[in-house]
């Protein structure tokens, strides 16, 4: 590369000297100049093809590239499946306790037991009334959950486990009706529907409230929080050997030994 540069410089000096004497000299590097000119043209051509930055207007006569399309009503409906506490979002339909019992035995009893008592370590869905203040509370639909809409929303969206979203609206109403009956909240001949759903009240609803930390915990907020030596001097009061939690014998032999 250096030799090529030296040749170009020498040719330029020679051309200048000869030009001073009135002698015309041919271009010493026509190919190099042609390549440089071609490179500049390519850069200019590439600059024309660069996408317009976000927020900038497209050049005159150019149509901006369209990405995506508006969502169709049926596509929005397929995603908008949540059910609120006041019943908003519930689909048309109905289901009886009797129908729900059969569906529950077919789709839910394997994990939750025939009567919602829970199989193995799967969640218990019925019973537990009055146990929330005990050492082993049972957080079921009848003892803990705040709204029946929570039951419908969860069953419709996430159950049966591994086959979620396979239950129809009528089937979901029926299963929820059966679960409410297991918790002694509706009679055996009850038919749950979109119309009477908001009238179902769960026993623990009054114990749920909006997040009020902005007022109830405001007294604990400080404008200048402590950032250094806030807890005072730290003292070690006991060690593992003194507490007798560190084994003294030889470690057990594993499969790798």
């Amino acid at each position: 590369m250096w030799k090529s540069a030296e040749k170009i410089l020498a040719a330029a000096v020679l051309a200048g000297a000869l030009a001073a004497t009135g002698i015309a000299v041919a271009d010493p590097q026509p190919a190099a100049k042609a390549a440089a000119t071609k490179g500049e043209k390519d850069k200019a051509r590439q600059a024309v093809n660069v996408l317009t930055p976000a927020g900038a207007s497209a050049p005159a006569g150019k149509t901006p590239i369209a990405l995506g399309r508006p969502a169709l009503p049926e596509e929005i409906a397929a995603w908008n499946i949540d059910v609120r506490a006041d019943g908003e979002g519930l689909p048309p339909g109905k289901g009886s306790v009797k129908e729900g019992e059969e569906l529950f035995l077919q789709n839910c009893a394997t994990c939750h037991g025939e009567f919602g008592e829970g199989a193995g370590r799967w969640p218990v869905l019925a019973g537990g009334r009055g146990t929330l203040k005990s050492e082993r509370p049972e957080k079921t639909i009848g003892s803990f959950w705040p709204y029946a809409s929570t039951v419908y929303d969860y069953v419709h969206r996430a159950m049966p486990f591994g086959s979620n979203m396979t239950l129809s609206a009528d089937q979901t109403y029926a299963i929820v009706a059966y679960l409410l009956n297991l918790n002694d909240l509706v009679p055996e001949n009850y038919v749950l529907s979109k119309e009477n759903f908001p009238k179902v009240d769960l026993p623990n609803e009054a114990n749920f409230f909006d997040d009020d930390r902005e007022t109830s915990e405001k007294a604990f907020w400080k404008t200048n929080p402590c950032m250094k030596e806030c807890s005072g001097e730290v003292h070690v009061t006991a060690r593992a050997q003194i507490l007798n939690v560190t084994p003294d014998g030889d470690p057990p032999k594993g499969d790798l030994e």
Side-chain angles (χ1 to χ4, degrees):
M1 183 174 68
W2 290 108
K3 291 183 178 180
S4 299
E6 291 175 356
K7 290 181 180 180
I8 294 174
L9 180 60
V13 172
L14 177 62
L18 294 177
T21 61
I23 302 176
V25 181
D27 190 344
Q29 293 293 330
K33 286 189 175 183
T37 303
K38 182 178 182 300
E40 293 176 356
K41 291 181 178 180
D42 290 342
K43 290 180 180 180
R45 188 178 298 109
Q46 292 173 5
V48 173
N49 295 330
V50 172
L51 293 177
T52 303
S57 58
K62 294 287 186 179
T63 302
I65 300 175
L67 299 177
R69 58 169 175 77
L72 300 176
E74 54 269 26
E75 293 173 333
I76 297 176
W79 282 96
N80 187 22
I81 61 174
D82 64 297
V83 179
R84 300 183 185 179
D86 59 359
E88 183 177 348
L90 283 169
K94 62 181 180 179
S96 66
V97 173
K98 184 177 180 179
E99 295 168 336
E101 181 180 9
E102 182 178 351
L103 290 167
F104 187 88
L105 293 175
Q106 294 173 355
N107 298 279
C108 317
T110 302
C111 298
H112 298 290
E114 295 183 6
F115 303 100
E117 74 277 11
R121 300 182 65 181
W122 294 100
V124 179
L125 301 179
R129 191 81 63 88
T131 66
L132 295 184
K133 294 183 178 181
S134 65
E135 294 183 356
R136 299 181 62 86
E138 289 284 359
K139 296 183 178 182
T140 70
I141 296 171
S143 68
F144 178 72
W145 292 30
Y147 306 109
S149 59
T150 308
V151 187
Y152 187 99
D153 181 84
Y154 191 78
V155 172
H156 174 58
R157 178 167 40 86
M159 294 289 120
F161 183 71
S163 300
N164 59 307
M165 298 292 292
T166 59
L167 296 172
S168 67
D170 289 344
Q171 290 174 327
T172 307
Y173 276 114
I175 291 177
V176 174
Y178 178 66
L179 291 173
L180 294 175
N181 176 257
L182 288 179
N183 286 276
D184 300 323
L185 299 174
V186 298
E188 294 183 357
N189 60 349
Y190 193 80
V191 178
L192 185 65
S193 65
K194 179 180 180 180
E195 289 69 31
N196 62 12
F197 199 99
K199 299 179 182 179
V200 178
D201 295 324
L202 300 191
N204 199 41
E205 177 182 347
N207 293 322
F208 282 81
F209 52 87
D210 294 334
D211 188 350
D212 64 345
R213 283 176 290 180
E214 290 188 2
T215 55
S216 63
E217 298 183 7
K218 195 171 183 178
F220 299 100
W221 300 354
K222 297 180 180 179
T223 55
N224 297 315
C226 180
M227 303 298 292
K228 184 179 180 182
E229 299 179 357
C230 303
S231 60
E233 188 176 357
V234 177
H235 298 278
V236 178
T237 58
R239 298 182 181 276
Q241 291 180 346
I242 299 176
L243 295 175
N244 196 28
V245 295
T246 304
D248 295 329
D250 297 332
K253 295 183 178 180
D255 296 336
L256 299 179
E257 297 183 5

